[in-house]
Amino acid sequence: MSDLIRVRMEGHDNRHELYELIRVFFPNRGIEFVDEDKVFPDGLTIKSILMDRIDKNLAITRLYRGGDLIKESLVNIDDIHIEGYPTRKIIRNALKKSIYDCLIDEVEMDIPWGILTGIRPIKIVHEMMDRGLDEKEIEGILASEFRISRDKTQLMLDIASIQRRHIYPLDRDKYSFYIGIPFCPSRCSYCSFPAFAIGKDYDRVKNYVDTLVYEIQELKGIMEGKWLNTVYIGGGTPTSLRVEDLERIITTVKDTFKDDDIREFTVEAGRPDTLNDEMLGMLKSTGIDRISINPQTMNPRTLDRIGRYHDIKSTISSYQLAKDHGFDIINMDIIIGLPGESIQDVAHTLEEIESLDPDNLTVHTLALKRGSRLLNQGKDLSTSADDIRAMLELTEAKAADMKMFPYYLYRQKQILGNLENVGYSKLGKECIYNISMMEEKETVMGLGLGAVSKIYFPDEDRIERLPNFKDLGEYSRRIDELLLKKKNFIS
Ligand SMILES: C[S@@+](CC[C@H](N)C(=O)[O-])C[C@H]1O[C@@H](n2cnc3c(N)ncnc32)[C@H](O)[C@@H]1O
Ligand code: SF4
């Protein structure tokens, strides 16, 4: 029996949306869109039909197995009223809802995010809150129109209400910087971020820092009349640079934008093996408010398995050294679903982290990304959906024990169990940049290799994107061309 799922659309073309949703139900099966109006004798055939009639608008899904119709579901589009929602989106939702209703009994798993497949689910809650809907109304819509579970609905509402304290009032002149440092001590096997192992050729790093410093200085003129709200130096691993180079980048920002009274300055000090007294001393003395020290896991065997060449001791000692230096906010990133890890392993990681008592905890669910070594190793890496869910629940409970609240959330493609990444924080210690970047209610200028700038237009509640070059040589050679584009983009 073929594993292939064939999909035929009639009366509409929402291929991408349908593909993403069907893949949630059948993550390991091939999905093929067909033009032929035919029911195939093998595998599953799904017909998604938009019936657009004067008296009736219907979204219909028919599911066939081995040539026989086994289920049909029907959504009456005229019955859907979501205040302020454009017709185009209502139709798309109705088509997805009818697919969901048809497939949900075919699989033995919950689909807690319902028909939502996007990266930024909290945005729809903000949209509804902006239109004046109250929590009860929003809850009702998320359940009936999006098929989102009660738990996720509550999570979305909790996060949105914390975020709104930081997002509003909107200001078209406010912006943040994301500064990318694409170098790391070595490459972890799960990672697909732009990051080069720093190696012995430090000249290319020097050259990169020169270009970056130039880009920062030139942005002063480009952003004239606006004010810099937050700065995030990420990567890669910024602390894999020499201390004097990272210091040069930080002080260039601080000196160039000294009139802006920057509210938050984060440096991802990610890999514990890049931290020592000198580096942490420099970060503290240059006025960095928030750093990340990322264990990913507290199990030594997993660290080896994922090619992260530091030990648990260095995570703990770097953290304690950072505490001694008096950092206000320390974040820790972990990943659940790492190869070979059980629920007990995750519980152990969380206990170790609890004893360190960081201010923020960011929980990632492993995403098997194209371009990562892990995916290409061809081993069976899968943690069962039930285990992933249990791990995620454990992190939720532990964050609550640590008096932390969820404050931002995003989802990724290829994420295990089709779940989510959640940032937790002690109250009042939330990372404002993470909220701005995720909810897209503020302009973010991306500096450095592959960074993406996004301008926000509050009046139209929309963003425009402009990516930087992704090739190191091109980024340095064509920096003036890039700056001209940024100037035109802003003006
Ligand atoms: C851009 S990385 C940089 C962090 C820093 N270099 C480090 O390794 O600690 C930010 C975070 O993304 C998460 N991450 C990276 N690749 C991931 C993947 N394939 N699946 C889930 N989380 C991932 C890790 O938790 C990591 O700390
Ligand atoms: S996880 Fe961090 S240290 Fe590892 S390769 Fe990715 S960016 Fe570099």
Side-chain angles (χ1 to χ4, degrees):
M1 187 83 167
S2 160
D3 246 6
L4 194 61
I5 297 170
R6 296 184 180 89
V7 187
R8 175 176 153 80
M9 294 177 293
E10 284 177 25
H12 70 97
D13 186 2
N14 285 280
R15 181 180 300 238
H16 174 72
E17 295 278 336
L18 259 54
Y19 175 81
E20 291 299 336
L21 181 61
I22 296 169
R23 208 170 58 148
V24 170
F25 287 87
F26 303 108
N28 303 317
R29 291 177 68 169
I31 300 168
E32 185 180 281
F33 281 78
V34 293
D35 292 329
E36 256 177 297
D37 185 9
K38 168 178 168 187
V39 173
F40 292 82
D42 56 343
L44 289 178
T45 305
I46 297 172
K47 285 193 183 180
S48 166
I49 304 159
L50 176 62
M51 200 176 274
D52 205 354
R53 293 202 321 230
I54 296 175
D55 58 331
K56 215 173 202 116
N57 292 298
L58 296 175
I60 304 167
T61 303
R62 294 197 182 111
L63 178 67
Y64 303 83
R65 180 182 290 120
D68 300 325
L69 179 67
I70 54 168
K71 189 147 184 208
E72 179 178 58
S73 89
L74 214 136
V75 173
N76 188 344
I77 299 172
D78 303 318
D79 288 347
I80 306 175
H81 300 286
I82 309 178
E83 177 66 30
Y85 225 55
T87 314
R88 170 180 57 83
K89 282 195 184 174
I90 290 198
I91 292 176
R92 202 175 60 201
N93 268 23
L95 288 163
K96 288 171 80 178
K97 211 163 78 162
S98 119
I99 295 224
Y100 175 98
D101 293 347
C102 212
L103 298 185
I104 191 68
D105 296 331
E106 283 302 301
V107 292
E108 283 174 10
M109 59 179 174
D110 293 338
I111 310 283
W113 285 102
I115 65 166
L116 272 193
T117 49
I119 292 171
R120 299 177 161 83
I122 311 298
K123 268 189 161 189
I124 56 168
V125 177
H126 286 303
E127 265 174 38
M128 290 193 250
M129 287 181 166
D130 288 345
R131 289 200 306 270
L133 273 69
D134 66 26
E135 289 210 355
K136 273 271 154 292
E137 290 169 306
I138 298 173
E139 260 175 42
I141 293 172
L142 293 179
S144 66
E145 299 310 326
F146 292 89
R147 301 285 192 250
I148 298 175
S149 77
R150 205 178 248 281
D151 287 357
K152 298 298 176 208
T153 299
Q154 195 51 52
L155 181 64
M156 292 167 87
L157 286 166
D158 290 348
I159 292 179
S161 76
I162 290 196
Q163 290 185 336
R164 291 176 85 79
R165 296 176 210 153
H166 297 286
I167 292 175
Y168 292 92
L170 300 177
D171 179 348
R172 61 176 309 139
D173 292 332
K174 171 170 87 169
Y175 68 97
S176 287
F177 271 169
Y178 172 79
I179 301 179
I181 308 292
F183 301 103
C184 292
S186 63
R187 210 142 156 81
C188 311
S189 65
Y190 53 83
C191 186
S192 65
F193 284 89
F196 306 97
I198 207 151
K200 292 200 180 77
D201 177 15
Y202 200 77
D203 279 352
R204 66 174 178 166
V205 181
K206 279 252 173 258
N207 191 22
Y208 182 76
V209 174
D210 287 343
T211 312
L212 193 54
V213 164
Y214 177 67
E215 191 180 7
I216 296 167
Q217 288 165 335
E218 290 298 304
L219 271 164
K220 174 73 182 160
I222 295 175
M223 302 309 287
E224 200 57 56
K226 303 182 185 296
W227 59 280
L228 182 56
N229 184 28
T230 75
V231 180
Y232 190 102
I233 307 190
T237 308
T239 43
S240 62
L241 299 185
R242 290 185 185 152
V243 176
E244 65 269 23
D245 288 325
L246 184 54
E247 182 170 16
R248 190 171 154 223
I249 295 167
I250 296 169
T251 51
T252 303
V253 177
K254 291 238 164 187
D255 293 348
T256 313
F257 296 88
K258 60 178 178 299
D259 298 333
D260 286 359
D261 201 13
I262 300 167
R263 270 169 81 198
E264 175 190 273
F265 205 131
T266 301
V267 172
E268 194 150 32
R271 285 266 294 250
D273 47 342
T274 58
L275 297 178
N276 56 28
D277 199 38
E278 193 192 0
M279 181 63 84
L280 288 164
M282 180 278 288
L283 293 175
K284 186 66 194 164
S285 67
T286 48
I288 299 306
D289 310 302
R290 181 177 181 273
I291 59 171
S292 275
I293 300 176
N294 301 329
Q296 314 300 356
T297 169
M298 284 291 199
N299 298 296
R301 273 193 314 182
T302 317
L303 281 181
D304 274 355
R305 222 176 278 137
I306 59 177
R308 229 175 131 86
Y309 302 120
H310 62 82
D311 53 18
I312 307 296
K313 262 201 240 145
S314 73
T315 307
I316 297 172
S317 61
S318 301
Y319 180 84
Q320 274 156 353
L321 197 57
K323 275 285 187 207
D324 293 344
H325 276 279
F327 281 96
D328 266 356
I329 306 181
I330 305 182
N331 169 67
M332 293 192 134
D333 280 1
I334 61 166
I335 303 179
I336 60 166
L338 285 171
E341 286 221 333
S342 62
I343 301 175
Q344 287 71 28
D345 291 324
V346 174
H348 171 72
T349 295
L350 290 168
E351 272 154 31
E352 291 286 309
I353 289 179
E354 187 178 23
S355 70
L356 296 173
D357 194 25
D359 311 279
N360 296 173
L361 172 70
T362 312
V363 179
H364 299 93
T365 302
L366 183 69
L368 290 171
K369 296 188 194 166
R370 257 181 289 148
S372 68
R373 283 204 320 277
L374 195 61
L375 188 65
N376 301 328
Q377 277 167 357
K379 295 183 194 150
D380 182 16
L381 307 161
S382 44
T383 310
S384 75
D386 285 348
D387 279 0
I388 288 285
R389 184 166 306 186
M391 289 172 182
L392 203 61
E393 280 169 11
L394 207 59
T395 60
E396 248 177 75
K398 200 44 110 184
D401 288 350
M402 289 193 267
K403 310 239 169 336
M404 291 184 184
F405 301 85
Y407 80 98
Y408 83 104
L409 180 151
Y410 67 104
R411 302 175 67 218
Q412 279 176 295
K413 302 219 160 82
Q414 272 91 37
I415 198 164
L416 293 185
N418 184 41
L419 292 166
E420 65 262 1
N421 300 325
V422 184
Y424 293 92
S425 172
K426 292 194 175 153
L427 207 58
K429 298 214 167 183
E430 301 85 24
C431 174
I432 305 167
Y433 168 82
N434 281 338
I435 297 174
S436 302
M437 179 262 301
M438 209 45 73
E439 302 312 325
E440 300 182 321
K441 300 273 192 209
E442 178 185 321
T443 293
V444 175
M445 297 303 289
L447 290 82
L449 192 78
V452 178
S453 299
K454 293 183 206 166
I455 305 195
Y456 178 57
F457 299 90
D459 302 341
E460 301 154 59
D461 193 27
R462 70 177 178 90
I463 53 153
E464 271 180 32
R465 296 158 55 90
L466 176 72
N468 276 11
F469 294 112
K470 287 185 176 155
D471 174 84
L472 265 184
E474 211 169 15
Y475 169 64
S476 291
R477 268 195 319 275
R478 298 176 65 183
I479 186 67
D480 283 315
E481 191 186 318
L482 185 70
L483 285 164
L484 187 62
K485 267 197 201 162
K486 281 193 169 156
K487 188 167 179 225
N488 295 335
F489 184 58
I490 287 292
S491 60

